[in-house]
Amino acid sequence: MNSPTGKAPRDKLEKTGTRHSHSIRFSDSEWYLVEKAASRHGIPTGEFVRSGALSAAEGYSSVPPETNLSTGHAALIEAIYRAVYLLATISREKLIEAGREEDIEGIVVEARNAMVHTMKADLE
């Protein structure tokens, strides 16, 4: 929850050096969206804006990836996953019939390596 001044409570701030106040401008509708997002994450609005700006400047997001997606995007990803899974299952059967098990294993290894690499990047 915001303090009366709109700044994050001091106990929630890292003590990394002197901080200075800077102003930015939002339209009422933009600020409303920012306030709703901060509320969903349970943090003060100013800290939400600050954290988002610093994350973008550092080249990563401190918000878990699933919270970066709208409900529509998450549904789209699920639908794509199901379609790809179905097509992969059909293709797998055809590749096995054609004696191409090594190709299947190579694809599986590449997919697992990509997943491990992506998950490690999220943890760093």
Side-chain angles (χ1 to χ4, degrees):
M1 182 153 303
N2 282 337
S3 64
T5 62
K7 294 184 179 180
R10 284 246 174 244
D11 61 317
K12 298 211 181 220
L13 296 175
E14 293 178 28
K15 309 289 192 253
T16 58
T18 304
R19 296 221 167 107
H20 303 278
S21 180
H22 299 275
S23 65
I24 55 175
R25 295 176 191 262
F26 290 91
S27 69
D28 289 341
S29 61
E30 290 170 334
W31 190 247
Y32 176 74
L33 291 174
V34 172
E35 286 179 319
K36 282 179 54 176
S39 178
R40 282 194 308 271
H41 293 286
I43 61 175
T45 307
E47 181 61 20
F48 180 78
V49 172
R50 181 181 168 278
S51 177
L54 289 173
S55 293
E58 293 169 351
Y60 67 92
S61 175
S62 61
V63 178
E66 64 274 7
T67 61
N68 286 334
L69 298 175
S70 70
T71 304
H73 283 103
L76 178 61
I77 290 170
E78 287 180 28
I80 291 169
Y81 173 83
R82 287 187 184 110
V84 169
Y85 183 82
L86 177 64
L87 292 172
T89 301
I90 293 168
S91 296
R92 179 181 180 277
E93 296 302 319
K94 289 181 180 179
L95 288 171
I96 289 173
E97 289 172 9
R100 297 179 60 191
E101 290 87 355
E102 283 185 31
D103 291 336
I104 296 170
E105 289 304 313
I107 292 168
V108 169
V109 167
E110 285 179 25
R112 287 184 179 153
N113 287 341
M115 183 177 69
V116 167
H117 177 72
T118 301
M119 293 175 78
K120 282 183 183 177
D122 286 345
L123 296 175
E124 294 174 350

